[in-house]
Structure formats: structure tokens, C-alpha cells
Amino acid sequence: MSTQIADGRARVTRHRWVARVAIAGIAMLLGVGQAIAWSRIAPGQQVMVFADGSYISLPTADYHPFTGLALDAFAGVAVGLIVAVAAWRIRAIRGATTLTFIAAGTAVGSAIAYWVGLAMAGGVDPATVGSTGKASIVVAGASMGTPFVMIIEPLIAIAVYTFLAAWDGRRDLGSTRAVPQAVLAEQDVLPPSGPAG
């Protein structure tokens, strides 16, 4: 009987780690999806390149860096919220270890979204046009303005998961109900049963 309980405990522990790694992996894959979507919809910035090679951004495109930043920020908020709520729904893995995996997965996913998105954005670097003898307008690649946008996604994920844990209020966050009772008894999580009254 004790061997069966030990096997059950090992199986539960293994499933918990697999679920946590899967959540972090999904958050990273969502970062790739963010990068692809952002690079497709974020607007490039129109730049006037003069005959001597000097250039200036057109006033009608000055807001495009902010647009790129806002698109990435909103995507980060959405992904952070989705990952945190999805992880919370898996009752058996609730806790600080899962929060660590969520934070790491969304942080890496956000970094992937930032760097891969910029790499995929394309466009023409106006500094490379040089002196051509005539003025022209080129479209520079979309930008996000600042790399600090990468912190939004993990912060939202951490805040949402922490809020859900605080809202739950139970010491075990309800995770013990998702694990076989015999395994919990072996781990001394459940109080010993005794005669009633």
C-alpha cells in the first residue's frame, strides 16, 4: 500500500512540474505570436530623405512610434492576464512555485515579442539611403520606443495571479482538493481522521 502511495505522490509531483513548465512554454510561444502579429500591424514611420542624405521624420508619422509601443503594451497586458488566469484554473499547481514559472515565462515571452517583433518589422533605415541627388520618402521599420515595455506583461501576470491568490483566502489555495486523498494523507497535509464527536 505504501508503495502505491509513494508512486501516486511521485506521479502527482511529476504532473505538477510538467504543468508548470507547459505554462511557461506556452507564455514563450505566445511571445512569438505577439511578435508576428505586432510586426504585421504596427505602422512604419515615413521619413523624408533629402538629396544630401540627411533625413527627417514626416510630421504626419510622428505618432507611429507611440502606436507601436501601445500595440505591444496592450498585447502584453492581454497575454499576462490570460496566462495568469489559465494557470490559476489548474488547481493542483497553485502556489508560489507556479507564480515563479508564470513570471519567468511571461518575462521571456515579452522579450521575444520585443526583439523578434523589431527584427521582423522590416522597413528601410533612412541612414543607409545616403546621398542620391534627389529627395525621396522611405518607410522606416516600426518601433516600440523603449525596451521598458517588456516589463508590462510579467507585471500584469504577477499582479493578476497574486490578486487571485489573495481573493481565494485559503491557506492551501484549494490545491489539496485536486490531489488524491491517500497521497495527501501520506504527505501529512490532511489532519488524521478520528472518531466523530
Side-chain angles (χ1 to χ4, degrees):
M1 184 63 177
S2 60
T3 304
Q4 291 176 345
I5 292 175
D7 289 344
R9 183 171 55 191
R11 189 166 53 252
V12 167
T13 301
R14 184 169 58 251
H15 288 168
R16 284 176 170 170
W17 283 104
V18 167
R20 290 172 180 139
V21 170
I23 288 168
I26 289 169
M28 293 177 202
L29 287 176
L30 287 173
V32 176
Q34 277 180 264
I36 294 170
W38 182 87
S39 67
R40 297 285 192 271
I41 63 175
Q45 188 164 4
Q46 291 181 318
V47 178
M48 170 70 77
V49 181
F50 298 103
D52 62 355
S54 61
Y55 57 91
I56 186 171
S57 297
L58 294 179
T60 54
D62 279 348
Y63 63 91
H64 287 176
F66 175 76
T67 303
L69 177 70
L71 287 171
D72 188 64
F74 285 132
V77 168
V79 170
L81 179 66
I82 290 168
V83 170
V85 171
W88 180 258
R89 297 287 297 162
I90 306 173
R91 187 184 301 272
I93 63 169
R94 290 178 181 173
T97 305
T98 300
L99 179 60
T100 303
F101 274 81
I102 291 169
T106 52
V108 173
S110 184
I112 289 171
Y114 181 82
W115 295 110
V116 175
L118 289 178
M120 295 180 67
V124 177
D125 183 357
T128 63
V129 175
S131 178
T132 60
K134 61 179 181 178
S136 61
I137 295 177
V138 298
V139 179
S143 69
M144 296 184 202
T146 174
F148 287 113
V149 71
M150 290 187 287
I151 67 172
I152 293 174
E153 184 177 323
L155 285 180
I156 290 295
I158 291 168
V160 169
Y161 195 85
T162 303
F163 170 79
L164 291 171
W167 185 271
D168 184 271
R170 290 173 288 188
R171 189 170 64 90
D172 65 349
L173 302 177
S175 61
T176 56
R177 288 193 288 173
V179 180
Q181 299 300 307
V183 175
L184 294 174
E186 180 70 15
Q187 293 176 333
D188 294 327
V189 174
L190 293 179
S193 57

